[in-house]
Amino acid sequence: MFIPSLNLADAAQAALKTAVGYLGAVLVENATVDSVKALIEETGSTLFWAKANSVEEAVQLWDAGVYKVIFSAEKLVADELNGVSQDRIAVQGTLASLSQLTFQPSIYIVDISIGDALTTEALHQFAKATRSQLLPEGGERRVVVNAGDSVVTLDAIAQLNAVKLDILISAGHLTTEDASEGKINIGEAFLATATTDRPDGLFTTMVVDERNTALGLVYSSVKSVSESLRTGQGVYQSRNRGLWYKGATSGATQSLLRVDYDCDGDALRFVVKQHGAGFCHLNTWTCFGANTGLSALQQTLQSRKESAPAGSYTARLFNDAKLLRAKIMEEAEELCDATEKNEVAWEAADLIYFALTKCVSAGVSLEDVEKNLDKKARKVTRRPGNAKPKWSGEEKKAEEPKVEEKKPEENGRIAMKAYDIKDISAEKRAELLLRPIIDSTEIIGRVTPIMKDVRQRGDAALIDLTAKFDRVKLDCPTLKAPFDEKLMQLDPQTKAAIDQAYDNIFKFHDAQMDRDTLTVETMPGVVCTRFARPIERVGLYVPGGTAVLPSTTLMLGIPAKVAGCSEIVIATPPRPDGSVVPEVLYVAHKVGASHVLLAGGAQAVAAMAYGTETVPKVDKICGPGNQYVTAAKMVAQNDTSCLVSIDMPAGPSEVLVIADKTSNPAYVASDLLSQAEHGIDSQVVLVAVDLTDAELEAIDDQIHIQASRLPRVDIVRQSIPKSYTLKVNTIDEAVSFSNDYAPEHLILHNDKPESLLPNIMHAGSVFVGPYSPESCGDYASGTNHTLPTYGYSRMYSGVNTLTFVKHITSQQLTADGLNRLGDTVMRLAEIEGLEAHRNAVAIRVADIRK
């Protein structure tokens, strides 16, 4: 195996510290105690190795959280290390100096070239003897080759492993991208010494959570491991469908924490932070059932924190710090007083319950607690062991007064981050393509009981939940067509605007309809057809409440109408007076909606997914919404009992703008801000093609000036600083980056922008030229504004007419056709061992051939 060597003083290697950290053991070069502390705090890992020039420095490194400290063989004074576990000590030197040591560390680092390491028999014998001597506390001693800054090949890693040698490899020679001259892929290097006896070459992989609880068994390949290390997510190899990005459609994603393999090197282990409902497709935490013990208690408390009835004991514990403190102190005293084994266990369980309640209340997880335990375990300096004066009976010293820190004011220039393609590494470029991982665990925990309530109590639950969340008291949660004209009164200008938008959107979506039957005679007497049929019942979610969003109603309702859906249900939150926004109701009338559901959030999704007394159950739910709506849609889709599909996964709104020297700075800035104002998590990217500093500054000035005038400037102040400008040299570089990013909205501010369209491979919708602002697509140009975000435009289309249809195939064979095809079908059925399939053809062919 190999151990990455990370030079903390080399800025070029900084982009790789996360990726190499996933491998566990990492030697950090040029490390100070403070830089190591910062690295451990940033990565959460306590598996780093670091060098020390003295025992005093070593103690500081160990106490900071370093796993193994490396001493020079010439400077090692073994007597000064009494009491320190051998597992925490490594020694570096020549083979001759290491061979003369009387002290036995856990790691020997040999300074030697790769060529000499492969041919020196004395080194091979030394490694063999070292590996055979286990550590007192268990585990293997290892010998590691240090060849300096030499370029290492995959073959060299495997050859060294064959003679029981590991090797240090500088992070400067590693990459998360494809291997290139002087660099090898981290995933390929990691698996260079792994073995598998599977014919397909895959590696059996156990996936565990942060507490080492087995989530399930999967398979990995070199490609999947490399992709996982690149993205920082759980990526595995499906035996049938290629790379499997865990949770890409269900929301149950995984953040990678560590990857390693077992003592024999033939089974991998992925340590992940599991998000969503759990690892299993049955919505359990593991494929072996639900959690138990402390993990189950933590899940229960997290759920109760969000859903405990007001006034209940649990709610009081979370909301009354004085009560919780009293219970913790009470149970601690009872544990101290307990003497019998069962009594101690019982009282300890009570104390743990209330201690974990305190943790959950403060947003602290068991995993956070265990990380701190790991850090404490790394320390070699021990505390005196005295109790605080309050508990030991000594007089308590007066506490120093606390000085309250002032929060910095949120003002100043509104500006994006800036990068130049020529100054960043391939790893940094890949990092810029990533979106934040969405942790839906807490949200799903809130959504699930709401959906369960609607499923069980129907309209009564809808009315109660609308009163709770929207503070609106309804007598009936639905309006049924035909709608009262008095509720749709609009001024002439608004009505004309909606009618114009309706006509444009209808015209474009009507042209998309697949009305003709595809007919193909695949061979004489065998005719296959494919024809479209509408999805009968669809639910359209229109965000709103106090907002006015007729555009979303148009974008969802028109394609459903064109497709011929027989029942269209529109859900939208009511206004404070319990009515529907008249603009939304007017569009609902135009598209032929049968019902308008006066509800939003998870309760609206549940009502359409399961049906209630007044809300028809639908077959598909479409439309944007906040994180609770998105989570509810995913929960419904994964519940096989309700048989409902959704349009696409959703994430924060985003835009990528390509601008060259011909662009208008004011136009560019306005397009960036039109998405940045959506929310603090909006993704905004400017790819600047060969712009000078002055030209970039002109755009930056416009961003600040225009943003400062916006009513939603507080949102923009948070989203814009998280966004970035990437300066590139050519338009080809810009298009390449855009295709890799796969944006929801792509805006082209460049010379002859239409010429770029043939090269655009991934985007939700493209806005071509200076007079095509994204706003037109949002409202009235004719295209749809419900688009894939979060990079999903690589594989999803935006909502369109075909979103609301499905295709059916048919085949018709004549006797002659069956006679021609029969032998082929019978043989294939015979190969697969399906005799009834073969017989269904054989019985007919026998009659034909009489």
Side-chain angles (χ1 to χ4, degrees):
M1 62 181 292
F2 86 99
I3 293 89
S5 171
L6 182 68
N7 187 346
L8 297 184
D10 186 351
Q13 295 185 21
L16 274 179
K17 60 186 173 184
T18 300
V20 298
Y22 295 140
L23 303 181
V26 178
L27 190 156
V28 289
E29 302 273 9
N30 295 310
T32 64
V33 173
D34 287 339
S35 65
V36 167
K37 284 182 177 179
L39 183 63
I40 291 173
E41 189 66 29
E42 179 181 353
T43 63
S45 173
T46 54
L47 297 173
F48 293 110
W49 303 1
K51 297 179 181 179
N53 294 315
S54 65
V55 173
E56 291 77 11
E57 185 180 5
V59 170
Q60 290 181 321
L61 289 169
W62 278 318
D63 286 351
V66 167
Y67 182 25
K68 296 182 189 290
V69 172
I70 304 168
F71 294 90
S72 165
E74 288 74 20
K75 297 181 180 179
L76 178 68
V77 181
D79 291 344
E80 295 181 356
L81 297 175
N82 288 336
V84 179
S85 168
Q86 295 177 9
D87 186 42
R88 307 295 301 281
I89 302 169
V91 182
Q92 181 174 353
T94 63
L95 177 59
S97 63
L98 295 174
S99 301
Q100 295 172 4
L101 290 177
T102 56
F103 175 82
Q104 290 185 307
S106 62
I107 301 292
Y108 295 86
I109 301 177
V110 185
D111 297 326
I112 189 171
S113 69
I114 296 175
D116 288 345
L118 289 171
T119 56
T120 302
E121 182 61 26
L123 176 59
H124 303 169
Q125 293 301 320
F126 177 77
K128 183 178 180 180
T130 298
R131 295 276 285 266
S132 66
Q133 299 169 9
L134 299 182
L135 291 163
E137 56 269 47
E140 196 175 40
R141 302 179 198 272
R142 307 188 73 87
V143 179
V144 182
V145 170
N146 174 35
D149 197 40
S150 300
V151 176
V152 182
T153 65
L154 299 178
D155 286 342
I157 298 173
Q159 291 172 22
L160 289 169
N161 183 71
V163 290
K164 301 189 180 303
L165 293 170
D166 300 330
I167 184 166
L168 284 170
I169 301 179
S170 168
H173 295 309
L174 298 171
T175 179
T176 57
E177 304 299 325
D178 292 336
S180 57
E181 184 175 353
K183 291 193 175 186
I184 57 176
N185 178 271
I186 296 178
E188 293 177 353
F190 171 72
L191 290 176
T193 55
T195 60
T196 178
D197 58 0
R198 289 180 56 86
D200 55 14
L202 299 182
F203 299 89
T204 303
T205 303
M206 177 60 71
V207 185
V208 303
D209 65 13
E210 297 155 288
R211 305 191 62 242
N212 213 32
T213 300
L215 300 176
L217 190 70
V218 298
Y219 296 93
S220 296
S221 65
V222 173
K223 186 176 181 181
S224 71
V225 171
S226 299
E227 181 68 0
S228 194
L229 293 172
R230 185 185 74 83
T231 62
Q233 302 178 45
V235 182
Y236 310 106
Q237 187 74 39
S238 168
R239 287 168 290 175
N240 301 316
R241 298 185 298 276
L243 290 185
W244 171 30
Y245 292 78
K246 179 70 182 78
T249 56
S250 68
T253 55
Q254 296 176 340
S255 300
L256 182 63
L257 300 178
R258 193 167 71 255
V259 57
D260 51 22
Y261 41 77
D262 69 351
C263 56
D264 295 323
D266 59 1
L268 306 188
R269 178 179 66 166
F270 270 62
V271 183
V272 301
K273 181 177 178 62
Q274 177 66 54
H275 306 288
F279 181 82
C280 185
H281 70 284
L282 299 178
N283 282 352
T284 56
W285 191 248
T286 82
C287 284
F288 309 103
N291 260 334
T292 59
L294 292 177
S295 296
L297 175 60
Q298 176 172 257
Q299 284 183 315
T300 299
L301 289 172
Q302 288 170 339
S303 175
R304 289 180 179 176
K305 179 184 177 183
E306 305 302 334
S307 60
S312 67
Y313 179 54
T314 305
R316 289 174 59 210
L317 285 175
F318 283 118
N319 297 318
D320 187 340
K322 187 175 181 181
L323 172 63
L324 181 56
R325 176 184 174 85
K327 290 302 298 181
I328 292 173
M329 303 303 287
E330 173 188 330
E331 297 302 337
E333 184 179 45
E334 290 180 0
L335 175 60
C336 292
D337 293 340
T339 55
E340 300 296 325
K341 178 179 178 181
N342 289 340
E343 185 184 10
V344 170
W346 181 269
E347 298 301 339
D350 282 344
L351 179 58
I352 289 171
Y353 175 88
F354 291 103
L356 193 51
T357 301
K358 172 73 174 179
C359 290
V360 171
S361 180
V364 174
S365 67
L366 283 169
E367 293 72 30
D368 296 326
V369 174
E370 290 184 339
K371 285 178 183 177
N372 280 277
L373 287 173
D374 289 341
K375 288 181 182 179
K376 292 176 186 289
R378 291 286 184 250
K379 289 190 175 185
V380 295
T381 302
R382 300 305 176 197
R383 294 179 296 184
N386 301 327
K388 290 183 178 180
K390 178 177 180 179
W391 306 109
S392 64
E394 298 176 10
E395 184 177 351
K396 184 179 179 180
K397 295 180 181 179
E399 293 183 357
E400 295 182 3
K402 294 183 179 179
V403 179
E404 185 176 348
E405 295 184 3
K406 292 184 178 179
K407 294 183 178 179
E409 295 182 6
E410 293 187 1
N411 52 24
R413 187 173 176 83
I414 302 173
M416 301 165 68
K417 298 175 183 176
Y419 303 94
D420 193 318
I421 194 73
K422 72 176 186 296
D423 297 330
I424 63 174
S425 64
E427 288 77 14
K428 183 61 180 179
R429 182 185 185 278
E431 181 183 316
L432 293 177
L433 297 173
L434 299 177
R435 278 70 158 183
I437 293 177
I438 300 174
D439 184 357
S440 58
T441 307
E442 180 183 359
I443 299 169
I444 288 178
R446 297 184 185 184
V447 161
T448 301
I450 293 173
M451 298 186 70
K452 182 179 179 181
D453 189 24
V454 173
R455 184 174 192 176
Q456 293 176 344
R457 297 198 298 123
D459 283 352
L462 281 176
I463 291 171
D464 290 346
L465 291 166
T466 302
K468 176 181 179 180
F469 295 120
D470 299 309
R471 302 185 184 280
V472 177
K473 181 64 176 177
L474 300 174
D475 294 324
C476 178
T478 57
L479 296 177
K480 189 173 182 180
F483 307 118
D484 188 343
E485 290 189 7
K486 294 179 181 179
L487 302 177
M488 298 184 284
Q489 295 300 313
L490 304 174
D491 65 82
Q493 187 178 4
T494 299
K495 185 175 181 297
I498 291 176
D499 289 344
Q500 176 68 76
Y502 180 95
D503 291 343
N504 288 354
I505 298 167
F506 188 97
K507 185 175 183 179
F508 185 66
H509 286 76
D510 185 61
Q512 300 170 19
M513 184 59 187
D514 188 359
R515 293 185 172 89
D516 296 327
T517 298
L518 172 69
T519 303
V520 178
E521 186 175 28
T522 57
M523 63 185 293
V526 181
V527 177
C528 298
T529 70
R530 179 178 182 266
F531 46 90
R533 293 290 183 268
I535 296 173
E536 290 184 341
R537 302 167 299 178
V538 295
L540 312 180
Y541 187 88
V542 178
T546 57
V548 180
L549 291 175
S551 61
T552 300
T553 322
L554 289 165
M555 296 295 176
L556 298 172
I558 290 174
K561 178 183 177 69
V562 171
C565 300
S566 58
E567 184 137 55
I568 299 174
V569 179
I570 294 176
T572 189
R575 295 193 295 182
D577 63 358
S579 66
V580 179
V581 173
E583 292 86 352
V584 170
L585 193 60
Y586 175 65
V587 177
H589 165 69
K590 285 182 71 75
V591 300
S594 63
H595 295 74
V596 172
L597 168 59
L598 302 170
Q603 60 268 29
V605 174
M608 294 188 290
Y610 299 113
T612 71
E613 297 90 332
T614 63
V615 182
K617 184 207 174 313
V618 302
D619 302 313
K620 188 170 188 176
I621 299 174
C622 300
N626 61 20
Q627 53 193 342
Y628 297 100
V629 173
T630 299
K633 287 167 67 177
M634 289 185 171
V635 169
Q637 178 180 242
N638 291 332
D639 184 352
T640 56
S641 67
C642 75
L643 289 176
V644 71
S645 67
I646 65 173
D647 44 4
M648 69 188 84
S653 187
E654 58 192 30
V655 67
L656 186 147
V657 177
I658 295 177
D660 65 10
K661 292 178 178 294
T662 68
S663 63
N664 183 320
Y667 292 0
V668 172
S670 69
D671 285 339
L672 293 167
L673 291 171
S674 70
Q675 288 303 300
E677 74 170 352
H678 271 295
I680 62 173
D681 55 356
S682 294
Q683 306 286 302
V684 178
V685 178
L686 169 62
V687 181
V689 183
D690 195 30
L691 296 189
T692 64
D693 291 343
E695 290 165 336
L696 284 170
E697 186 176 357
I699 296 175
D700 290 340
D701 288 343
Q702 282 296 318
I703 289 174
H704 177 71
I705 292 169
Q706 294 182 38
S708 300
R709 299 170 180 166
L710 294 173
R712 297 166 72 89
V713 64
D714 290 341
I715 292 175
V716 173
R717 281 194 182 278
Q718 296 182 69
S719 60
I720 283 293
K722 298 175 186 174
S723 305
Y724 62 87
T725 295
L726 177 65
K727 184 178 178 181
V728 299
N729 298 318
T730 67
I731 196 69
D732 289 340
E733 285 182 324
V735 172
S736 174
F737 185 86
S738 175
N739 282 331
D740 290 343
Y741 188 83
E744 176 189 17
H745 303 96
L746 170 61
I747 304 180
L748 304 177
H749 282 282
N750 61 285
D751 187 34
K752 299 179 181 178
E754 64 279 354
S755 67
L756 295 186
L757 289 178
N759 299 322
I760 302 302
M761 305 305 296
H762 309 299
S765 190
V766 185
F767 300 82
V768 185
Y771 302 110
S772 307
E774 182 269 336
S775 312
C776 289
D778 269 355
Y779 292 109
S781 65
T783 60
N784 208 289
H785 77 196
T786 306
L787 302 169
T789 63
Y790 212 71
Y792 281 112
S793 64
R794 300 184 70 88
M795 69 286 289
Y796 282 91
S797 304
V799 165
N800 57 79
T801 303
L802 298 185
T803 301
F804 297 94
V805 304
K806 77 267 188 180
H807 287 87
I808 302 172
T809 58
S810 73
Q811 48 270 300
Q812 184 173 7
L813 283 69
T814 64
D816 179 59
L818 182 58
N819 188 41
R820 291 170 181 267
L821 188 59
D823 291 332
T824 295
V825 176
M826 287 189 289
R827 179 56 184 150
L828 292 174
E830 184 179 351
I831 291 171
E832 294 187 353
L834 299 175
E835 177 57 25
H837 281 65
R838 190 198 69 81
N839 183 62
V841 176
I843 196 171
R844 291 171 169 83
V845 170
D847 287 342
I848 294 170
R849 295 176 181 176
K850 283 182 180 178

